[in-house]
Amino acid sequence: MNLNATIAQLLARDGWTLDGHVARQGRRRISFFTPDTPVAKFQRIARQDRDRFLHLAVVVAATAAVMHRLRTPQLADRYPRALFTSLEELAGPLRPRTTTVATFHAEVLSNRPTEDRSHYRLVFRAPELSGLVPPQFFMMDTLPERFPFGARTVNRGPVDWTPRPMLKRPFGICRDFHPHFPADYLKRLALPPSLALTLHPPAPDHFDLLYKVLPEGLGTNLMTKLNRGDRVHMLGPLGQPFDVRPLRAAGVEEVHIIGGGVGMAPLITLVEALRFYAFPVKVFLGIATLASLRLQDELAVTFGESPRAAYVYLDDLLAAGVKPADIFLSCDMARPRRVRGLPAANLHQGLVPEQYRRFLRERPVPQAMAITCGPHRMMEVMTGICRAAGLPLKVLLEKRMGCGFGVCFSCVQKVRHADGSEDYARVCREGPLFDAEEIVWKPNSQPKWAGCGCAARC
Ligand SMILES: Cc1cc2nc3c(=O)[nH]c(=O)nc-3n(C[C@H](O)[C@H](O)[C@H](O)COP(=O)(O)OP(=O)(O)OC[C@H]3O[C@@H](n4cnc5c(N)ncnc54)[C@H](O)[C@@H]3O)c2cc1C
Ligand code: FES
């Protein structure tokens, strides 16, 4: 295959030109290299570019399998600040993503609360999750390794009779961090859209989990006690990946992401993927109060922001390159103040579906699709709103889970197939993302036999 002709054809669709192994458009440049190129060339580009992302290096491997091996965190130092592609992918069609489930110990790097302590941000290192494609999730122990599986009490002097959960809890990734790439690199990255679909960043090696501490939650309350250096047992990635790349061929021009409270957390990696592949994104976030977003000061540096106030979700979305004008914020408990440069017209007191309904009424949307996650009632209302507007909607379901990989049936959801027949789908196996029109939104859509049904808090 003639590599130059293939790349030139892809770039020409976006108004770029290829000269030798360098593509150009205005001040932007992309240099293509083979995997055996000396490391000094990548270092020179990274040094000269100084994280402006005006000049990028791309490693072109022969096959997709080789390319995915080259982009693992273990080999990241061989190709500092490079993106990856393969001849197979350049010649198309797009290859479906596959991931391998692993059990492993993740190392906790930090675990810090928001101002009102309703949410925590847990940063951890786990190269085993590097193949995760959103909205896949993982199951984690809520106690660190020093409390082994099955230990329901911990003997610290006087006997501690606090119940200990034996089952792992499911969580989605909020953000992932790539070796050699600054946390906010997507703000400056502007890839040619046709070529972008074949490119990959280096595989991430550490991750953020944003979790809500449930008032009655056994596991999430124990998780608040995790400390730097703790090792936590995990299982993942689980669930079906959702590859956003084919959306372009399907004619989707804009994606709306609607998150209710902590439902926004697992949607942020989807926003990152959409931004990487150069999709326009609008985000609607519904929260109770601004205090539930504001992190305690010292964590602000995670975002490369000033170490004053840092806001979960908002700073993540801005770091992912979403413009303030494309972020809409609803607070149901208090009137939202101006925050992070969001236009006043984008602030709403009330519930996020109300704001989204008004948005759809006031602005004609191009060929768009919506993805939502939040409380069941909110997702049900969103289904009605999108149906009325003729927009396809996907819902990310968060059910209680026992195993996470399809054997215990504690996570089932009633679904209706196209032929009208009804059935139960396992959220952990067939989900967690479903077409909204498939879901039977009934309070009693959980069958009596779902879950172990025991009174013990496991
Ligand atoms: C795919 C997936 C991704 C998720 N991602 C996140 C995330 O990024 N951040 C986050 O904070 N949470 C997320 N969750 C939800 C998270 O798993 C639960 O909040 C957590 O398991 C609660 O554990 P606990 O031990 O504190 O609660 P438990 O002690 O098990 O339960 C306490 C109370 O909360 C209720 N409850 C527990 N889990 C749920 C649930 N999933 N839905 C409704 N009610 C529930 C129980 O019925 C009970 O009344 C996700 C869930 C799934 C399935
Ligand atoms: S959690 Fe066991 S089947 Fe889904």
Side-chain angles (χ1 to χ4, degrees):
M1 188 204 320
N2 184 337
L3 172 63
N4 274 30
T6 313
I7 296 178
Q9 215 177 355
L10 276 176
L11 289 167
R13 290 186 209 157
D14 302 319
W16 285 60
T17 51
L18 186 68
D19 179 10
H21 72 288
V22 183
R24 290 171 204 275
Q25 190 205 44
R27 293 167 66 212
R28 298 195 174 271
R29 267 187 300 163
I30 302 177
S31 300
F32 295 89
F33 296 108
T34 55
D36 53 8
T37 306
V39 65
K41 284 210 177 178
F42 297 99
Q43 287 167 337
R44 193 164 55 240
I45 291 179
R47 204 173 41 245
Q48 288 171 353
D49 184 65
R50 282 180 283 130
D51 283 343
R52 288 173 300 173
F53 286 84
L54 290 173
H55 189 183
L56 293 166
V58 173
V59 178
V60 187
T63 63
V66 172
M67 185 263 300
H68 283 301
R69 192 169 52 76
L70 296 179
R71 60 187 280 269
T72 53
Q74 295 85 332
L75 291 179
D77 291 345
R78 174 78 186 73
Y79 308 104
R81 255 266 333 260
L83 298 173
F84 296 82
T85 186
S86 66
L87 293 179
E88 264 175 11
E89 289 191 286
L90 286 167
L94 294 175
R95 308 192 129 238
R97 302 285 188 80
T98 51
T99 49
T100 317
V101 181
T103 61
F104 55 91
H105 282 100
E107 182 196 340
V108 173
L109 300 177
S110 67
N111 186 27
R112 300 289 168 81
T114 52
E115 204 172 87
D116 65 357
R117 298 193 161 259
S118 62
H119 293 72
Y120 274 64
R121 185 184 279 277
L122 181 82
V123 186
F124 61 94
R125 193 191 317 277
E128 295 83 354
L129 279 184
S130 63
L132 181 145
V133 181
Q136 283 185 301
F137 63 96
F138 60 95
M139 302 284 290
M140 70 175 276
D141 274 346
T142 49
L143 284 170
E145 194 186 23
R146 60 178 183 273
F147 302 120
F149 173 75
R152 291 186 69 87
T153 60
V154 181
N155 205 343
R156 278 191 240 118
V159 175
D160 176 359
W161 292 109
T162 319
R164 309 273 148 188
M166 286 194 290
L167 294 178
K168 290 183 166 50
R169 302 298 196 246
F171 291 98
I173 289 293
C174 177
R175 287 199 63 191
D176 45 21
F177 298 92
H178 308 267
H180 298 292
F181 278 59
D184 60 348
Y185 81 99
L186 285 167
K187 257 186 189 172
R188 298 179 291 282
L189 187 77
L191 295 173
S194 302
L195 183 74
L197 299 183
T198 68
L199 296 179
H200 306 265
D205 61 350
H206 68 278
F207 302 88
D208 263 14
L209 154 63
L210 199 100
Y211 63 94
K212 181 176 180 178
V213 185
L214 302 185
E216 295 286 303
L218 188 59
T220 45
N221 277 288
L222 285 172
M223 281 165 68
T224 63
K225 309 211 167 49
L226 289 173
N227 287 317
R228 185 184 174 86
D230 279 343
R231 282 161 50 82
V232 183
H233 196 251
M234 290 188 180
L235 169 71
L238 299 163
Q240 298 300 322
F242 177 59
D243 193 351
V244 297
R245 296 175 300 165
L247 294 181
R248 181 154 299 129
V252 174
E253 289 168 17
E254 184 172 285
V255 182
H256 300 162
I257 302 282
I258 305 103
V262 76
M264 191 72 225
L267 293 176
I268 287 181
T269 41
L270 266 178
V271 173
E272 287 185 320
L274 289 161
R275 290 284 313 135
F276 183 85
Y277 298 121
F279 279 97
V281 185
K282 290 201 166 28
V283 184
F284 298 79
L285 167 62
I287 45 151
T289 61
L290 272 182
S292 64
L293 292 187
R294 210 163 24 232
L295 275 174
Q296 293 192 347
D297 287 354
E298 60 275 51
L299 198 67
V301 286
T302 306
F303 307 102
E305 301 275 343
S306 98
R308 286 282 158 232
Y311 291 87
V312 293
Y313 306 140
L314 290 182
D315 288 332
D316 296 323
L317 292 167
L318 294 169
V322 185
K323 296 197 175 60
D326 291 331
I327 303 177
F328 297 77
L329 178 68
S330 304
C331 290
D332 47 349
M333 307 274 277
R335 179 146 210 93
R337 288 195 312 273
R338 281 204 73 174
V339 51
R340 288 287 185 257
L342 265 54
N346 290 12
L347 306 176
H348 170 75
Q349 181 171 11
L351 301 171
V352 67
E354 293 165 3
Q355 193 182 22
Y356 187 57
R357 193 199 312 261
R358 201 178 64 193
F359 168 85
L360 291 179
R361 216 182 289 133
E362 287 172 3
R363 297 185 211 189
V365 282
Q367 197 67 14
M369 76 167 289
I371 305 178
T372 188
C373 180
H376 259 227
R377 180 68 192 132
M378 174 202 137
M379 293 195 281
E380 187 180 354
V381 172
M382 284 297 306
T383 307
I385 293 174
C386 289
R387 190 184 297 138
L391 283 189
L393 171 72
K394 289 205 177 274
V395 292
L396 199 158
L397 297 184
E398 293 188 344
K399 287 271 182 182
R400 291 192 89 185
M401 290 186 178
C403 65
F405 46 84
V407 298
C408 74
F409 284 74
S410 59
C411 64
V412 290
Q413 166 66 46
K414 200 173 204 174
V415 290
R416 188 176 295 115
H417 300 301
D419 62 4
S421 62
E422 290 188 352
D423 197 356
Y424 288 99
R426 293 161 299 178
V427 171
C428 69
R429 191 79 184 156
E430 284 82 50
L433 202 64
F434 291 86
D435 283 337
E437 293 300 338
E438 264 187 283
I439 304 294
V440 180
W441 296 108
K442 282 194 190 139
N444 60 354
S445 65
Q446 188 84 351
K448 289 206 172 61
W449 43 264
C452 64
C454 73
R457 305 192 65 199
C458 48

